[in-house]
Amino acid sequence: MPSPTSPLPSPGTLRRNQNATSLIYDKNIYRNNKNVSLSSLQFLIMEIVSQYMKNTNNILKIERKLNNLGYSIGLKYLNLISTKNNFINNITSNGKSNTSHRITKLIDFLHFISNDIWLSLFNKSSNGLEKSSDNEFQFMIIDNNPIISSFLSPTQEYNSLSIESFTAGIIEGILDTAYFQCEVSAHRVPIVNYPNKTIYLINLKQ
Amino acid sequence: MQIYSLYLISRSGSLLYQRDIDSVGSPITEQNSNDYLVIASNLHGMHAIASKFKPNLSTKEENNFNKSGINMNSNKTGLRCIKTDTFNIFLHQTVTGLKIILITSSDTIESEISSLQNEIYRLYSDYVMKSPFYNLEMPIRIKWFDEVIINTTKKYNIRVNINTNNTNKISTSAK
């Protein structure tokens, strides 16, 4: 008979702990309610940017840091989105998908980024995917109103700073794990009604 | 209704933002920057004094609380409006102490003003508070904030003009 101060947890607590951890696996991986507060995300990005600005005044360095931050997200995010997407397409097969596939063609993959990944990251599709006319290894994803930087107005001092380098980093990470080596940079191209129109320039390594 | 001018004053009474809005028949002339500070601190002081004014009542009546627990005779909102023949000044203090002051023409609709003030407060918390380049209590110099402020106030100027045109039409048809 175990003493009251036994170091071993009683079977009851074990079961309870097990329940708590297994709950997350019991949930459907494709949850309908996956909303995150946009404000808290924007405040987080704002705070990251202002922390970087404390350390350096060099715009290129800040953009590089934001890009690196997004890159490590992109590396991991492709796994999650592939799992989810294959699951959605094969709900009847208990999640063990038999038609799951990996996109290996570049154009298909870019379409996948500009639609599916944009949809899961920002809850909308991007506003366009274009191929550069003078360089066959250059592609552009266009977003008229990028969500995470939609209120982060540039100032005169930091006019060329593009906070969307963060998103560019995510794209770069995703493309890199999919074996398309590239560099992605974000450029703000303000037009009428869309002061924050951003072009993500994808430079593939030949 | 025309909106002539907008002031934002921080809770400590310093002028954060001042903008004259391009509107029809505006009597506002450009002042030097020092005068704007004087106007802002005067309004701030007047608001503080006005919030101390209240009717002199017996203690029994003074404890006359309404359902929400707010003393009916208190004057928590302070100075809300100054009306003259040629212009009106509307002051609105948000819960965080930011003052939104609008100088408008004298033919204003108060519900429109309060919805505009709420909209300006929303724009302030989106475009100013979320800017990584802005330090608290400093003057606001944010390009997109300028643009959205101009757009929203213009929208109000135009919208209410259409309303007044409609009422004119109705009155002429009635004749």
Side-chain angles (χ1 to χ4, degrees):
Chain A
M1 186 188 147
S3 66
T5 55
S6 162
L8 291 171
S10 73
T13 51
L14 256 183
R15 209 177 303 126
R16 236 177 290 134
N17 287 344
Q18 214 173 9
N19 280 348
T21 50
S22 62
L23 256 179
I24 199 163
Y25 296 109
D26 290 341
K27 274 184 187 164
N28 191 338
I29 193 170
Y30 174 66
R31 277 170 297 166
N32 283 322
N33 189 12
K34 51 184 176 183
N35 294 336
V36 176
S37 161
L38 181 59
S39 284
S40 60
L41 180 70
Q42 283 167 335
F43 274 117
L44 182 67
I45 297 283
M46 180 202 98
E47 209 48 49
I48 290 167
V49 174
S50 55
Q51 279 297 327
Y52 286 161
M53 282 195 321
K54 263 180 208 160
N55 298 332
T56 174
N57 279 325
N58 188 338
I59 289 174
L60 283 178
K61 272 187 187 168
I62 299 173
E63 285 187 349
R64 184 104 297 264
K65 282 184 168 179
L66 281 168
N67 194 299
N68 285 345
L69 198 68
Y71 183 79
S72 45
I73 295 174
L75 290 180
K76 296 155 193 166
Y77 195 71
L78 182 62
N79 280 319
L80 180 67
I81 182 82
S82 321
T83 323
K84 277 191 177 178
N85 264 20
N86 282 323
F87 189 83
I88 298 161
N89 295 335
N90 300 288
I91 285 174
T92 47
S93 62
N94 288 332
K96 283 174 194 156
S97 108
N98 42 20
T99 59
S100 63
H101 63 288
R102 189 163 71 90
I103 301 165
T104 48
K105 283 189 184 130
L106 176 66
I107 304 292
D108 289 348
F109 198 79
L110 289 172
H111 272 292
F112 173 70
I113 289 179
S114 69
N115 293 318
D116 293 35
I117 287 182
W118 232 256
L119 207 63
S120 69
L121 281 175
F122 308 124
N123 206 10
K124 63 169 188 178
S125 306
S126 70
N127 294 88
L129 171 67
E130 283 176 17
K131 190 177 189 301
S132 167
S133 52
D134 33 73
N135 186 344
E136 61 171 319
F137 295 104
Q138 264 187 359
F139 292 88
M140 289 170 283
I141 293 176
I142 299 157
D143 195 332
N144 283 344
N145 191 14
I147 281 181
I148 56 168
S149 65
S150 54
F151 295 122
L152 306 185
S153 164
T155 55
Q156 279 183 338
E157 200 182 340
Y158 291 98
N159 199 12
S160 60
L161 173 65
S162 176
I163 294 158
E164 286 298 316
S165 297
F166 177 68
T167 317
I170 297 180
I171 301 170
E172 194 176 323
I174 289 172
L175 279 165
D176 261 10
T177 35
Y179 300 103
F180 298 108
Q181 279 211 342
C182 65
E183 270 180 18
V184 184
S185 53
H187 305 274
R188 217 161 45 77
V189 199
I191 54 166
V192 185
N193 291 337
Y194 297 110
N196 199 21
K197 181 179 175 176
T198 304
I199 290 177
Y200 305 95
L201 191 67
I202 301 166
N203 259 316
L204 288 155
K205 286 190 180 140
Q206 299 156 19
Chain B
M1 183 177 87
Q2 295 289 327
I3 288 136
Y4 297 146
S5 200
L6 165 73
Y7 292 72
L8 292 181
I9 300 176
S10 78
R11 66 181 132 190
S12 56
S14 58
L15 182 67
L16 295 180
Y17 188 78
Q18 193 280 334
R19 177 154 292 273
D20 291 332
I21 288 131
D22 191 27
S23 53
V24 182
S26 170
I28 307 282
T29 51
E30 203 178 320
Q31 311 288 316
N32 66 41
S33 55
N34 221 15
D35 289 340
Y36 290 129
L37 293 175
V38 172
I39 295 168
S41 53
N42 271 331
L43 285 171
H44 181 77
M46 269 150 67
H47 185 277
I49 293 165
S51 64
K52 300 287 175 201
F53 287 157
K54 59 181 178 184
N56 194 6
L57 297 165
S58 65
T59 45
K60 193 187 164 196
E61 280 170 309
E62 211 168 275
N63 292 330
N64 183 11
F65 289 88
N66 67 3
K67 272 181 193 165
S68 58
I70 298 165
N71 193 334
M72 299 274 269
N73 293 322
S74 74
N75 186 7
K76 288 276 162 60
T77 53
L79 185 65
R80 271 198 300 197
C81 177
I82 301 170
K83 287 192 175 176
T84 74
D85 285 346
T86 47
F87 65 90
N88 288 349
I89 301 178
F90 288 93
L91 299 95
H92 172 66
Q93 182 167 261
T94 65
V95 279
T96 51
L98 175 83
K99 280 188 194 64
I100 298 166
I101 296 170
L102 289 168
I103 302 179
T104 67
S105 58
S106 52
D107 55 336
T108 42
I109 304 154
E110 290 200 21
S111 59
E112 293 278 344
I113 292 290
S114 70
S115 74
L116 175 59
Q117 281 165 337
N118 284 336
E119 203 160 324
I120 289 169
Y121 188 32
R122 189 183 65 78
L123 295 174
Y124 170 82
S125 35
D126 271 346
Y127 284 90
V128 181
M129 291 293 104
K130 283 176 185 168
S131 170
F133 313 104
Y134 176 70
N135 299 319
L136 280 175
E137 302 278 315
M138 295 301 280
I140 298 164
R141 285 198 189 82
I142 296 171
K143 207 171 112 200
W144 291 357
F145 184 64
D146 285 350
E147 285 170 13
V148 290
I149 285 288
I150 289 167
N151 283 342
T152 31
T153 44
K154 259 188 193 165
K155 199 173 71 194
Y156 272 80
N157 280 351
I158 292 165
R159 193 164 84 197
V160 180
N161 274 348
I162 292 164
N163 285 349
T164 48
N165 284 345
N166 284 346
T167 49
N168 282 343
K169 269 178 202 161
I170 291 161
S171 60
T172 47
S173 61
K175 276 170 197 171

